Amino acid sequence: MYGITVNRASNLSITKQLYQQIRKNILNGHLREGDSLPATRKFASQLSISRNIVLEVYDQLKIEGFIESRQGSYTSVAAGAFLTQLPSKFSAENQFDTSPPSDMINFRYGIPALDHFPRKAWKKTLTQTILDVSVSYFDYNDIAGCLKLRTAIATYLFKTRGIVCSPKQIIVTSGSTQAFTLITQLLLSHNRKVIIEDPLNIQLQRYLSSLGCQFVPIPIDEQGLQTDYLLKQSISPPSFILVTPSQQFPTGGILPIQRRIQLIRFARETNSYIVEDDYENEFTFEGSPISSLQELAPEKVIYVGTFSKTLIPTLRLGYMILPNTLMEKFYKLDWYATQQPSAIDQLALASFIDSGQFERHVAKMNKIYQKRRNKVMLELNRHFTNNVKILSNSAGLHLTVQFKAIKFSSQLLSHILHYGVQIYSAHQHVIDKNNTSLLNQAILGYGNLNENEIVEGIQRLKTALNNMD
Amino acid sequence: MYGITVNRASNLSITKQLYQQIRKNILNGHLREGDSLPATRKFASQLSISRNIVLEVYDQLKIEGFIESRQGSYTSVAAGAFLTQLPSKFSAENQFDTSPPSDMINFRYGIPALDHFPRKAWKKTLTQTILDVSVSYFDYNDIAGCLKLRTAIATYLFKTRGIVCSPKQIIVTSGSTQAFTLITQLLLSHNRKVIIEDPLNIQLQRYLSSLGCQFVPIPIDEQGLQTDYLLKQSISPPSFILVTPSQQFPTGGILPIQRRIQLIRFARETNSYIVEDDYENEFTFEGSPISSLQELAPEKVIYVGTFSKTLIPTLRLGYMILPNTLMEKFYKLDWYATQQPSAIDQLALASFIDSGQFERHVAKMNKIYQKRRNKVMLELNRHFTNNVKILSNSAGLHLTVQFKAIKFSSQLLSHILHYGVQIYSAHQHVIDKNNTSLLNQAILGYGNLNENEIVEGIQRLKTALNNMD
């Protein structure tokens, strides 16, 4: 009947095969309203399958309304079960493929040494966690994250950054990106004005713009945000003030205490919050890590941190410190808005921190990144001698360089790309595009490049710049 | 000087102790602008610490602008480094504590048997994954998720649900909750009108309302959404239509094929998308799982699924199937909007599915849930005989019951609570509050209650209802 067959080799059960074929024949109109279906015994023997299978399939089709039985056994197709099929093309099929690996040397910034992730140690911790974790953690958990991890982070931050806060103020987030989405939900309610540094990371710019934020860009200098601008202009209270005081992105300026104090006074006077994006500050090559803004005014500063740089991005583990005044509002956020990482990962990270493994890993990586930074500087100076000026090199996973008489236009960057090396324009992060001060600066990330790649990369850069027309 | 001491027992390094004390003294004004700091040699011997420590601390304080050196060695406090300290109270301290465990028997719905999560098998898969995974996965990944998992899900859905789609159409999400946040971002852009079933899960109601959605509630009957209402009223095109066709929530109605076809025709005519929330459909106790709406009209239906019920909620692993027509728009979503779960978890789940372990686990759990459902029904009938009517019991992790002459007011529910058992009102999910049809229905979830707890729970319910005044 209607070419219905069963294939015992298929990984679909015979029941499913039969069900789907009859169903299809009804939907596409081969079997029409009122058409009767074969009696179960006859049908079963035709297909040489068990009658129970046919009975089961008929029952299922009845439950879903495809067929109906009259006077017991006699079964026929129900009304209204025909549907015109529209062709569905798989245009997605060969689209959006992730680009194939190449021998391109990519000075990407904001990315750690992926091949140095401590797989074995993490595996060990994770294994123990899965076996030990109490069943209650398998449930939906506190939207602020697991208290064990929040406590571990608070202890770690006190020890390494002198930050004093209650574990209850620490919110575990899915990477620092989610911290920013939560912050906007907490603070953007009415006023959409945001005071930011110019330049500001382009991705963050795009995100805030997509939310309809109205930027008040403040210029920076080699010491970061020029806080006197806050006093100059009469600025009405913003939703929040977004800063990178430990190392301005991307220029690396360290905000001096005097400006930090001006900034905090401004926040207090305008009764607004400061968001401190403390990205990559775990890695410092001169002196200790810069103290945080948060510890100067815990009541006014939201501190944002991440484990994407100290461990790996894919773990999606980050956090923020909320002032107590915002805790209640946070717990009122819609549950759908708060995506927390797996409690298993959270508890594993807590053990990893408490056991001291995390701090040792960071210390080890700090040495590695310092070597890589030094190699970049060495090679740049070797190839470009006094035509290059290296800025922003005291911390983090990138440095910015200034080349004499070179503007990093998109044309130049793609010219360089043709020589198998990718570097980035600092200017792309600038908001006031009339400001050309960063046009001659490039960002070179070295976090995920080993020393050989760095040597080769700078060599290629040299060749590329030599062959400019 | 200023009571500065070092404590060798502290877990803070001496350098940090000295740095923090001097810094504090400057911030709180004990050390004022121009005050000179002790010469490094003298200071070191006073504290009987190495001079290098003092030099290191002074350098750090200089970098941060607290102090400045004149004529080489002579060091003094810089201007503008004084900040009024505001008292910061830890009001959060003893707040927001997760409620202590009690012997309450909670017939919560939408929650699986947490203690049946296959820890050992998952541990084994995860361990292997961490050791085998290619380094490239440690990076930020495709916002749609890992192709290996998307392929595993597509294969699984074809085998178990007859769903035909390209792996590229499957978007891995952080639980089904994130699927809904993505869907609203894809479809809510301008038109905020959403056609929904009445009742609709209260949490989803709240979330959509928080986004300013304008509901067009369609009444349901024992067969689910009454699609003829779509034709009756002249409804202008909505942003999307949200339905639970496999088992209406919470009443459990199965949408018959005729209504499914009417629904799809409506979507095609109004050129709108249907969101199919296929919650808990993996667990079916009569016949096979109901076929999906998605396979009837893949070009019009967004299918939402989750692993929170088949595995555990905390893994935060869910997915949706997008029509090809939406793929391009999805990839244009802001990166911040798309929070994906850890690639390690994604790849582990892929192996778990590919190895057949997942399907076996679901089959095993299906038997367990069926036993629990039967026990609930048995106990209800035993205690309440013909005063109780059990509805919606063919699938999922809850059933709804109707008690003769009982209205589940919040007073009654809290009265019941006093007897150590928690059940839920079906009426709370109703949108049109004039509609009292569900007032006498209660939701009893049995996913995370063993048979003894069920027996005890129904016994307590009986006692509670006997002692109503």
Side-chain angles (χ1 to χ4, degrees):
Chain A
M1 160 203 157
Y2 305 101
I4 287 177
T5 57
V6 297
N7 166 13
R8 285 182 165 70
S10 159
N11 70 346
L12 278 186
S13 70
I14 292 176
T15 313
K16 278 214 166 48
Q17 293 180 45
L18 184 57
Y19 162 79
Q20 286 180 7
Q21 289 178 79
I22 298 177
R23 187 168 174 284
K24 187 152 165 289
N25 277 301
I26 296 173
L27 283 169
N28 64 23
H30 290 149
L31 279 168
R32 290 208 180 66
E33 170 178 2
D35 288 356
S36 60
L37 266 63
T40 53
R41 249 190 213 77
K42 178 155 156 278
F43 204 9
S45 65
Q46 279 177 357
L47 299 167
S48 51
I49 58 176
S50 139
R51 184 190 172 206
N52 289 335
I53 293 181
V54 181
L55 288 167
E56 194 184 331
V57 169
Y58 280 17
D59 286 344
Q60 182 73 17
L61 290 166
K62 272 175 211 155
I63 292 175
E64 300 187 20
F66 283 93
I67 61 177
E68 47 201 9
S69 294
R70 303 210 190 79
Q71 314 113 26
S73 68
Y74 170 61
T75 309
S76 69
V77 175
F82 166 73
L83 175 69
T84 325
Q85 285 302 312
L86 300 188
S88 84
K89 51 215 160 338
F90 285 130
S91 66
E93 201 45 88
N94 297 318
Q95 237 170 312
F96 314 120
D97 277 330
T98 46
S99 53
S102 75
D103 84 327
M104 174 74 62
I105 290 176
N106 191 340
F107 284 91
R108 241 174 99 197
Y109 48 89
I111 171 110
L114 301 175
D115 54 350
H116 280 67
F117 175 64
R119 286 181 196 242
K120 290 215 167 56
W122 184 253
K123 186 213 83 181
K124 203 156 168 295
T125 312
L126 203 54
T127 304
Q128 207 48 53
T129 307
I130 294 175
L131 298 180
D132 298 348
V133 58
S134 128
V135 160
S136 63
Y137 283 105
F138 292 161
D139 203 342
Y140 299 89
N141 292 298
D142 183 338
I143 60 171
C146 301
L147 195 54
K148 185 163 183 287
L149 176 57
R150 294 157 73 194
T151 309
I153 292 173
T155 313
Y156 174 78
L157 287 176
F158 173 72
K159 192 173 169 202
T160 59
R161 309 279 280 117
I163 290 175
V164 179
C165 71
S166 155
K168 299 291 179 77
Q169 291 174 267
I170 290 184
I171 312 298
V172 178
T173 60
S174 176
S176 61
T177 49
Q178 198 213 354
F180 288 109
T181 61
L182 290 171
I183 287 165
T184 53
Q185 284 168 49
L186 281 172
L187 300 179
L188 270 188
S189 47
H190 299 91
N191 175 343
R192 306 216 147 240
K193 195 166 73 172
V194 181
I195 296 181
I196 56 170
E197 299 168 343
D198 184 0
L200 166 70
N201 183 311
I202 182 78
Q203 275 184 314
L204 209 40
Q205 270 185 54
R206 291 207 185 106
Y207 173 62
L208 294 173
S209 306
S210 74
L211 300 175
C213 286
Q214 175 199 344
F215 291 141
V216 182
I218 307 291
I220 58 131
D221 60 19
E222 63 289 339
Q223 292 192 303
L225 187 74
Q226 299 187 51
T227 44
D228 44 358
Y229 276 80
L230 293 174
L231 318 176
K232 273 185 202 154
Q233 331 172 349
S234 64
I235 294 174
S236 60
S239 288
F240 58 89
I241 307 157
L242 177 57
V243 289
T244 54
S246 298
Q247 48 173 330
Q248 203 282 331
F249 182 86
T251 61
I254 297 168
L255 200 65
I257 185 66
Q258 292 76 7
R259 293 188 184 185
R260 289 169 187 246
I261 287 169
Q262 282 179 2
L263 182 59
I264 289 163
R265 291 210 178 111
F266 176 82
R268 286 175 179 172
E269 284 154 15
T270 57
N271 189 29
S272 48
Y273 289 99
I274 301 168
V275 177
E276 174 177 26
D277 181 4
D278 200 34
Y279 75 103
E280 296 172 13
N281 188 263
E282 297 86 355
F283 304 116
T284 319
F285 313 125
E286 284 159 17
S288 329
I290 304 304
S291 303
S292 73
L293 203 60
Q294 192 275 349
E295 66 174 303
L296 290 175
E299 81 287 358
K300 276 291 158 210
V301 177
I302 300 172
Y303 178 97
V304 176
T306 181
F307 294 94
S308 295
K309 316 303 174 73
T310 46
L311 292 169
I312 41 175
T314 198
L315 289 180
R316 313 307 304 125
L317 287 163
Y319 61 93
M320 62 178 171
I321 308 174
L322 283 186
N324 290 311
T325 44
L326 285 174
M327 289 307 295
E328 212 171 326
K329 194 170 179 193
F330 169 78
Y331 275 95
K332 289 211 183 83
L333 279 179
D334 189 278
W335 187 75
Y336 278 76
T338 60
Q339 296 291 346
Q340 68 199 312
S342 155
I344 296 171
D345 288 346
Q346 290 188 51
L347 295 171
L349 178 56
S351 314
F352 202 69
I353 295 172
D354 292 340
S355 65
Q357 293 177 89
F358 177 72
E359 205 174 336
R360 284 195 298 278
H361 175 66
V362 171
K364 177 188 153 213
M365 294 314 294
N366 199 62
K367 289 201 189 66
I368 291 172
Y369 293 135
Q370 179 154 21
K371 275 204 192 122
R372 293 181 176 187
R373 174 200 68 148
N374 294 345
K375 181 61 85 175
V376 174
M377 291 163 68
L378 182 76
E379 293 300 306
L380 283 171
N381 290 321
R382 195 162 67 81
H383 284 296
F384 300 97
T385 59
N386 45 23
N387 294 321
V388 69
K389 187 177 165 201
I390 294 166
L391 321 133
S392 141
N393 61 359
S394 64
L397 301 178
H398 73 267
L399 45 75
T400 52
V401 283
Q402 199 168 351
F403 287 86
K404 196 175 283 175
I406 287 186
K407 300 220 172 305
F408 290 98
S409 61
S410 46
Q411 296 89 319
L412 177 55
L413 290 170
S414 56
H415 165 79
I416 293 171
L417 208 54
H418 285 112
Y419 288 79
V421 58
Q422 183 157 19
I423 65 172
Y424 297 86
S425 137
H427 185 71
Q428 69 166 321
H429 302 289
V430 170
I431 290 164
D432 171 10
K433 292 300 180 192
N434 302 327
N435 169 2
T436 59
S437 61
L438 296 190
L439 254 177
N440 62 350
Q441 289 190 27
I443 306 174
L444 274 70
Y446 45 76
N448 196 32
L449 292 177
N450 64 40
E451 297 185 37
N452 297 337
E453 291 169 319
I454 289 168
V455 170
E456 172 64 19
I458 303 297
Q459 172 64 61
R460 291 182 187 179
L461 179 60
K462 168 75 170 178
T463 319
L465 295 183
N466 284 348
N467 294 295
M468 285 163 56
D469 21 56
Chain B
M1 162 202 153
Y2 306 100
I4 288 176
T5 57
V6 296
N7 166 12
R8 287 182 164 70
S10 160
N11 68 346
L12 277 186
S13 72
I14 292 175
T15 312
K16 277 212 168 50
Q17 293 179 45
L18 184 57
Y19 163 79
Q20 286 181 8
Q21 290 177 78
I22 298 176
R23 187 169 174 283
K24 187 152 164 290
N25 278 301
I26 296 173
L27 283 169
N28 64 22
H30 289 147
L31 279 169
R32 291 207 180 69
E33 171 178 3
D35 288 354
S36 60
L37 265 63
T40 53
R41 249 190 213 79
K42 180 158 154 272
F43 203 9
S45 64
Q46 278 177 359
L47 299 168
S48 51
I49 58 176
S50 140
R51 183 188 173 208
N52 289 336
I53 293 181
V54 181
L55 287 168
E56 194 184 329
V57 169
Y58 280 15
D59 286 344
Q60 183 72 17
L61 291 166
K62 272 174 211 157
I63 293 175
E64 300 187 20
F66 283 93
I67 61 177
E68 46 201 12
S69 294
R70 302 208 192 82
Q71 313 115 26
S73 67
Y74 170 61
T75 310
S76 67
V77 175
F82 167 73
L83 176 69
T84 324
Q85 285 303 311
L86 301 187
S88 82
K89 51 211 157 347
F90 284 129
S91 67
E93 201 45 89
N94 296 318
Q95 238 171 310
F96 315 118
D97 277 330
T98 47
S99 54
S102 77
D103 84 327
M104 174 74 62
I105 291 176
N106 191 340
F107 284 91
R108 239 174 100 198
Y109 47 90
I111 171 108
L114 300 176
D115 54 350
H116 281 66
F117 175 63
R119 285 182 197 241
K120 290 215 168 54
W122 184 252
K123 184 212 83 180
K124 203 155 168 296
T125 312
L126 202 53
T127 305
Q128 208 47 54
T129 307
I130 295 177
L131 297 180
D132 297 348
V133 58
S134 126
V135 160
S136 63
Y137 283 106
F138 292 161
D139 202 343
Y140 299 90
N141 292 298
D142 183 339
I143 62 173
C146 302
L147 196 54
K148 185 163 183 287
L149 176 57
R150 295 156 72 193
T151 308
I153 293 173
T155 313
Y156 174 79
L157 287 176
F158 172 72
K159 191 171 170 202
T160 61
R161 310 279 280 115
I163 289 176
V164 179
C165 71
S166 154
K168 299 288 179 80
Q169 291 176 264
I170 290 185
I171 313 298
V172 178
T173 60
S174 176
S176 62
T177 49
Q178 197 213 353
F180 289 109
T181 61
L182 290 172
I183 287 165
T184 53
Q185 284 168 49
L186 281 172
L187 300 179
L188 270 187
S189 49
H190 299 90
N191 176 344
R192 305 212 150 245
K193 194 168 74 172
V194 182
I195 295 181
I196 54 170
E197 300 167 343
D198 183 1
L200 167 69
N201 183 309
I202 182 78
Q203 273 184 315
L204 209 40
Q205 270 186 54
R206 291 208 186 106
Y207 173 62
L208 293 173
S209 306
S210 75
L211 300 175
C213 286
Q214 176 199 345
F215 292 139
V216 182
I218 306 290
I220 58 131
D221 60 18
E222 62 289 339
Q223 292 192 303
L225 187 75
Q226 299 188 51
T227 44
D228 44 358
Y229 276 80
L230 293 174
L231 318 176
K232 273 186 203 155
Q233 331 171 350
S234 64
I235 294 175
S236 60
S239 288
F240 58 89
I241 307 158
L242 177 57
V243 290
T244 54
S246 298
Q247 48 174 330
Q248 202 282 331
F249 182 85
T251 62
I254 298 169
L255 200 66
I257 185 67
Q258 293 75 6
R259 294 190 184 185
R260 291 171 185 245
I261 286 168
Q262 282 179 2
L263 182 58
I264 289 163
R265 290 212 179 107
F266 176 82
R268 286 177 178 170
E269 284 153 15
T270 57
N271 189 28
S272 48
Y273 289 99
I274 302 168
V275 177
E276 175 178 25
D277 182 4
D278 200 34
Y279 76 104
E280 296 172 13
N281 188 264
E282 297 86 355
F283 305 116
T284 319
F285 313 126
E286 284 159 18
S288 329
I290 304 305
S291 303
S292 73
L293 203 60
Q294 191 275 348
E295 64 174 305
L296 289 175
E299 82 285 357
K300 275 291 159 212
V301 177
I302 301 171
Y303 178 98
V304 176
T306 181
F307 293 95
S308 295
K309 315 304 174 73
T310 45
L311 291 169
I312 41 175
T314 198
L315 289 181
R316 314 305 305 125
L317 286 162
Y319 60 94
M320 62 178 171
I321 308 175
L322 282 186
N324 290 312
T325 43
L326 285 174
M327 289 308 295
E328 212 172 326
K329 195 170 178 192
F330 169 78
Y331 274 95
K332 289 210 184 84
L333 280 180
D334 189 278
W335 186 76
Y336 279 76
T338 61
Q339 296 293 344
Q340 68 198 309
S342 154
I344 295 170
D345 287 346
Q346 290 188 52
L347 295 171
L349 178 56
S351 313
F352 202 69
I353 295 173
D354 292 339
S355 65
Q357 293 178 90
F358 177 72
E359 206 175 337
R360 285 195 297 278
H361 176 67
V362 170
K364 176 189 155 212
M365 294 315 294
N366 200 60
K367 290 201 189 67
I368 291 171
Y369 293 135
Q370 180 155 21
K371 276 205 191 120
R372 293 180 176 189
R373 174 201 67 148
N374 293 344
K375 181 61 84 175
V376 175
M377 292 164 67
L378 182 75
E379 293 300 306
L380 283 172
N381 290 321
R382 196 162 66 80
H383 283 297
F384 301 97
T385 59
N386 46 23
N387 295 320
V388 69
K389 187 176 164 204
I390 294 166
L391 322 132
S392 143
N393 61 0
S394 63
L397 301 177
H398 73 267
L399 44 75
T400 52
V401 284
Q402 198 169 352
F403 288 88
K404 195 174 284 175
I406 288 186
K407 300 220 174 303
F408 290 98
S409 60
S410 46
Q411 296 89 318
L412 176 54
L413 290 171
S414 57
H415 165 78
I416 293 170
L417 210 53
H418 284 112
Y419 288 79
V421 58
Q422 183 158 17
I423 65 171
Y424 297 85
S425 137
H427 184 71
Q428 69 167 321
H429 302 289
V430 170
I431 289 164
D432 172 11
K433 292 300 178 192
N434 302 326
N435 170 2
T436 60
S437 60
L438 295 190
L439 253 178
N440 62 351
Q441 289 190 27
I443 307 174
L444 276 69
Y446 45 76
N448 197 31
L449 293 177
N450 64 41
E451 296 185 37
N452 297 335
E453 292 168 320
I454 288 168
V455 171
E456 173 64 19
I458 303 296
Q459 172 63 61
R460 292 181 187 180
L461 179 60
K462 168 74 170 177
T463 319
L465 294 183
N466 284 348
N467 294 297
M468 285 164 54
D469 21 58

